[in-house]
Amino acid sequence: MTNQNALKPMAPHPHPHAPAAAETACCGSTACGSPAASIHTADIPKGALLFRIPTMDCAVEESEIRRALEPVAGVRGLRFRLGERTMAITVDDSALSGALDAIRKAGFKPEPLNDSTGSPAAGAQAAPAPAGIAGMSSGLVRLIAALVLAIAAETVSFLAPEGTGPMVVEMGLALAAIALAGLDTYKKGFAALLRGRLNINALMAVAVTGAFLIGQWPEAAMVMALYAIAELIEARAVDRARNAIQGLLALAPELAEVRQPDGSWKRAKADAVALGAIVRIRPGERVPLDGVVTEGASAIDQAPVTGESIPVDKSAGDPVFAGTINQTAALEFRVTAVAANTTLARIIHAVEEAQGTRAPTQRFVDRFAAVYTPAVFVLAIAIAALSPWLMGWSWTEAIYKALVLLVIACPCALVISTPVTVVSALASAARRGILIKGGTYLEEARKLKAVALDKTGTITEGKPKLVASRLLDPAGDEDVVFAIAASIAGRSDHPVSKAIAEGLKRERQPVGDFTALPGRGVQATHEGRSYVLGNHRLIEEQGLCSPALEAELKQHEEAGRTVTLLASGQAVLALFAVADTIKPSSQAAMAELRALGVTPVMLTGDNAATARAIGMHAGIDDVRGNLLPEEKLDAIKALQQRHGMAGMAGDGINDAPALAQADIGFAMGGAGTDTAMEAADVVIMNDDLRRLPETIRLSRRAHAVLWQNITLALGIKAVFFVLAVFGSATMWMAVFADMGASLLVVANGLRLMRSPKTD
């Protein structure tokens, strides 16, 4: 598989077919409660149209609307709030009419609530007042009352003598229980049957109606009550998985302390703070917005954004991210992103979008369920119609067994097994600083056999550091000589000179007549004496090289170091070796990759000697240097031919062609880097290469849980199929089995929300 999306910019809002940001998830019971009282417009994308859909309050209806809109060209984004029964749709003007027609043909009636400017639409009516938590509580009370009535009907049937009176009481109790628990299911079920769709509501409506018509009144009532209660429990569990990442939103405080034009400080809403404003945070407070520190120094806990367990020291010029925690001292920072575009907000949008991309296993399950449910429905009809002739059953017994099969046929556990698992894994990864942009990449990562890695900024820190220094003048004073070198280097903007100045940490001396020598180094005077600070070539031109110095320079150069020499007109005084050091995590990451059976390969444009030295230090055997971007692309193709699936880890900018060709592209250091977040399929937010093997391990765990859930759901159904046809399975037992399977697969999928463990 070739990654065709690596270079596409990340959409600012969820994919048109992504089930992002749904507030409630259920499978069709009345337990969903009333629609929300007010419509929260803060999360509505700019230019989106908001519609209320009265009959949409669960994941079944949401999925049907998404399927109806899939063939409609021009639909750019969808966002649902099931609790409020609202849908925000971003659509081209020319496609709006077709989109609404598609929704209506699916059996729903969209009611406009705003126009494209966000203003209320003409004639729009507010949603009915919700009960919120109170509504959920009242719904649960109603379902418990239905269960009590169903139990009462069972008790009357079991204890009361036969007669018209007890029969009427039994039927009345059952009807009351069904009315309390199942009216909404009936409405949706019959609507689905009229449209020729066999969803869970249709199956339950047919099964309960059939049981009631053959005189199984208490059992019909018990089935509907148990179904509705189990749906409520399942809905809450699914909701936890679907909205797991939304908990990150609460990490960013609503208020920010902003400096006013007169120098005073005032609390203001974070979403109203403008770019460039100065914000102050005290110790213990969370950072409200992204910014760059202008004053102060402190340690920041960045775990919510990057997954780093150790606080990071921040001072003037360092970036800070919304949702992180200031720990030790007050800081002031300049805002660089508004609330809707912070790194935290972009992470949430990306994960929401990823939640909607159907993983390969999920697509398989959806296709299987689409065939499985009608097949079981036909089987149930065949049993009801043919078994009295073929097996000698009574008509009542045959119809009853067929109805039990319909209850067992509910595909809920099977269908729900994959999205819960995928979403849990995506949320777990995001909390660890791993942003996976789709279920496909989550599943495919386990298949990687080779990973190519860029050197600079990926394996190494990407910043040159002074790694060795030596006084060469035996008569010189090291402190004096090094102070002169630091002073001259401090006047230059060259990265190597900056590394020398920072690494020497000597008190600066006054220097004059500073002159840059392009391609060679710099020249300056100190106390009337002239000095040069430059490379090997400059020293050779000065005629100051000796065989011993040449040998020492060769050793450093073979080790991948850049050597700079300080010399006066008569002699070389000191040697300074600068190198781009490898990250502390690189060696461990390469060892973990090899333990997983993945071959690490270094691809770099740096010279071969430096590449070999870095590769040897990091533990990489296959090192390829002096590569141009197109040559890196060819190298990825060669790895795919040799190993199979191959990934590429880079900075998301210079390595764009290779990232695009790789089966999965990993961008390093995504925190605060727009290009990195947009370029790759997986973004490692904190530059820690160990997150790469962690992603592969998570992929393998997710794949195992996916198939555990599928096996569990189908296995339980198979057992009860046999019991229903040849044993004594009852309808309420079938409901327990089906809902039990649903809850088991949800609970198993939620295990992935735990932090990934290393092997």
Side-chain angles (χ1 to χ4, degrees):
M1 181 205 47
T2 300
N3 172 18
Q4 299 297 326
N5 299 315
L7 298 180
K8 294 181 180 178
M10 184 180 66
H13 307 298
H15 186 274
H17 311 305
E23 297 304 310
T24 308
C26 67
C27 285
S29 76
T30 57
C32 285
S34 304
S38 59
I39 303 302
H40 298 285
T41 58
D43 292 339
I44 299 174
K46 185 177 180 181
L49 297 170
L50 185 66
F51 291 88
R52 182 171 182 269
I53 302 178
T55 56
M56 180 196 72
D57 58 9
C58 71
V60 172
E61 286 84 9
E62 179 190 329
S63 296
E64 291 187 10
I65 293 172
R66 290 187 183 280
R67 280 196 296 269
L69 290 173
E70 279 182 1
V72 180
V75 177
R76 301 194 307 275
L78 286 174
R79 186 169 299 185
F80 290 86
R81 280 189 177 273
L82 296 179
E84 296 173 357
R85 300 183 184 180
T86 61
M87 174 192 71
I89 178 171
T90 306
V91 60
D92 296 338
D93 292 341
S94 59
L96 177 59
S97 177
L100 295 180
D101 286 343
I103 295 173
R104 293 187 188 102
K105 287 178 182 178
F108 301 95
K109 296 180 180 179
E111 301 172 355
L113 292 175
N114 75 336
D115 56 28
S116 59
T117 66
S119 303
Q125 297 179 357
I133 293 179
M136 291 164 50
S137 300
S138 65
L140 182 59
V141 170
R142 177 165 44 80
L143 295 181
I144 291 175
L147 182 61
V148 170
L149 290 173
I151 293 172
E154 290 274 16
T155 304
V156 171
S157 175
F158 183 73
L159 297 178
E162 293 186 8
T164 304
M167 185 176 67
V168 171
V169 172
E170 183 183 330
M171 183 186 296
L173 290 171
L175 273 174
I178 292 171
L180 283 173
L183 280 183
D184 205 36
T185 300
Y186 264 109
K187 292 177 184 177
K188 295 174 182 177
F190 287 132
L193 287 172
L194 289 174
R195 300 195 304 273
R197 300 191 66 87
L198 290 175
N199 62 19
I200 174 59
N201 297 306
L203 294 179
M204 290 304 302
V206 171
V208 172
T209 301
F212 201 88
L213 292 176
I214 64 174
Q216 300 290 335
W217 307 314
E219 196 152 354
M222 184 67 72
V223 165
M224 188 60 80
L226 289 175
Y227 166 72
I229 291 174
E231 288 292 283
L232 176 62
I233 297 171
E234 180 187 305
R236 299 300 166 251
V238 174
D239 193 44
R240 178 187 171 194
R242 292 186 57 157
N243 292 324
I245 198 65
Q246 289 292 325
L248 288 174
L249 279 174
L251 297 176
E254 295 182 359
L255 299 177
E257 192 174 10
V258 185
R259 188 164 68 193
Q260 304 302 302
D262 61 2
S264 63
W265 296 90
K266 182 180 178 181
R267 292 273 177 183
K269 289 187 176 181
D271 57 11
V273 177
L275 289 174
I278 301 298
V279 173
R280 180 171 65 183
I281 46 173
R282 294 183 170 85
E285 291 183 340
R286 289 187 181 271
V287 180
L289 298 158
D290 286 6
V292 174
V293 176
T294 58
E295 188 172 330
S298 182
I300 298 283
D301 179 1
Q302 296 191 154
V305 172
T306 66
E308 292 167 289
S309 58
I310 300 175
V312 179
D313 291 332
K314 300 286 185 178
S315 58
D318 291 331
V320 292
F321 308 111
T324 57
I325 306 166
N326 183 26
Q327 293 197 327
T328 56
L331 286 177
E332 293 179 16
F333 67 88
R334 185 182 70 259
V335 175
T336 58
V338 296
N341 197 40
T342 62
T343 300
L344 184 63
R346 297 202 311 275
I347 290 172
I348 294 167
H349 286 316
V351 176
E352 285 178 345
E353 183 179 356
Q355 289 176 2
T357 58
R358 293 180 179 271
T361 303
Q362 187 172 349
R363 291 194 293 269
F364 162 76
V365 167
D366 288 344
R367 290 193 299 268
F368 178 82
V371 175
Y372 156 84
T373 305
V376 175
F377 196 86
V378 171
L379 177 63
I381 293 174
I383 288 175
L386 301 177
S387 58
W389 306 98
L390 299 177
M391 305 186 71
W393 296 344
S394 67
W395 284 102
T396 301
E397 183 183 8
I399 292 172
Y400 182 79
K401 288 182 180 293
L403 295 175
V404 174
L405 275 181
L406 288 183
V407 176
I408 296 172
C410 168
C412 217
L414 183 62
V415 172
I416 212 170
S417 63
T418 48
V420 170
T421 302
V422 169
V423 171
S424 297
L426 292 173
S428 174
R431 290 176 174 178
R432 295 279 292 163
I434 305 168
L435 186 56
I436 303 173
K437 293 187 181 178
T440 298
Y441 308 123
L442 172 67
E443 281 204 55
E444 295 297 304
R446 68 186 175 85
K447 300 178 183 178
L448 290 176
K449 298 301 181 184
V451 174
L453 305 105
D454 180 40
K455 179 182 75 70
T456 306
T458 301
I459 296 173
T460 67
E461 296 284 0
K463 298 178 181 179
K465 292 183 179 179
L466 182 65
V467 295
S469 58
R470 192 168 80 84
L471 183 68
L472 299 179
D473 182 6
D477 184 313
E478 181 177 291
D479 288 336
V480 173
V481 172
F482 282 11
I484 294 171
S487 302
I488 296 173
R491 293 284 302 275
S492 173
D493 291 331
H494 194 280
V496 172
S497 294
K498 287 183 176 180
I500 294 172
E502 292 174 4
L504 290 175
K505 297 186 184 302
R506 294 298 201 279
E507 184 176 348
R508 301 293 172 87
Q509 303 293 319
V511 295
D513 299 328
F514 183 86
T515 304
L517 305 173
R520 295 169 176 79
V522 293
Q523 182 175 348
T525 59
H526 172 66
E527 295 183 348
R529 190 176 182 185
S530 179
Y531 297 90
V532 292
L533 182 68
N535 57 22
H536 187 180
R537 179 180 177 183
L538 177 62
I539 299 304
E540 283 185 335
E541 291 176 352
Q542 298 276 330
L544 299 176
C545 264
S546 65
L549 181 58
E550 290 281 1
E552 187 169 353
L553 291 175
K554 184 178 180 180
Q555 289 180 349
H556 284 292
E557 289 167 356
E558 287 178 348
R561 298 170 175 175
T562 299
V563 180
T564 301
L565 302 158
L566 177 68
S568 65
Q570 294 77 35
V572 178
L573 306 177
L575 176 150
F576 306 99
V578 170
D580 184 7
T581 58
I582 73 167
K583 297 174 183 175
S585 62
S586 293
Q587 287 180 320
M590 298 307 107
E592 290 180 32
L593 284 174
R594 287 194 299 272
L596 291 170
V598 179
T599 302
V601 179
M602 182 194 292
L603 305 179
T604 178
D606 211 338
N607 67 76
T610 299
R612 283 195 300 271
I614 295 294
M616 184 181 299
H617 194 184
I620 301 175
D621 298 326
D622 191 347
V623 177
R624 308 177 192 184
N626 294 313
L627 297 180
L628 297 173
E630 56 270 24
E631 292 173 325
K632 288 187 179 182
L633 175 65
D634 293 337
I636 293 292
K637 292 178 181 178
L639 287 175
Q640 290 170 326
Q641 292 176 353
R642 179 180 177 184
H643 296 281
M645 285 194 60
M648 171 69 191
D651 60 10
I653 304 171
N654 299 329
D655 303 305
L659 285 169
Q661 175 62 34
D663 295 291
I664 299 181
F666 295 84
M668 303 301 298
T673 307
D674 293 344
T675 306
M677 290 189 70
E678 293 169 358
D681 308 311
V682 180
V683 181
I684 309 299
M685 302 296 291
N686 67 349
D687 277 343
D688 190 337
L689 271 178
R690 288 172 297 184
R691 296 290 192 262
L692 204 155
E694 189 174 305
T695 302
I696 297 173
R697 284 194 296 269
L698 177 63
S699 174
R700 294 180 180 181
R701 289 176 60 212
H703 180 76
V705 171
L706 280 170
W707 285 100
Q708 288 169 12
N709 283 346
I710 292 170
T711 304
L712 185 63
L714 291 178
I716 291 176
K717 288 184 182 298
V719 169
F720 274 83
F721 265 33
V722 174
L723 289 177
V725 177
F726 302 106
S728 56
T730 61
M731 287 183 68
W732 64 266
M733 289 170 62
V735 170
F736 265 129
D738 180 70
M739 292 300 111
S742 296
L743 296 176
L744 282 174
V745 299
V746 168
N748 194 36
L750 289 175
R751 291 191 303 116
L752 290 174
M753 290 180 63
R754 302 172 187 168
S755 294
K757 297 178 180 179
T758 57
D759 292 338

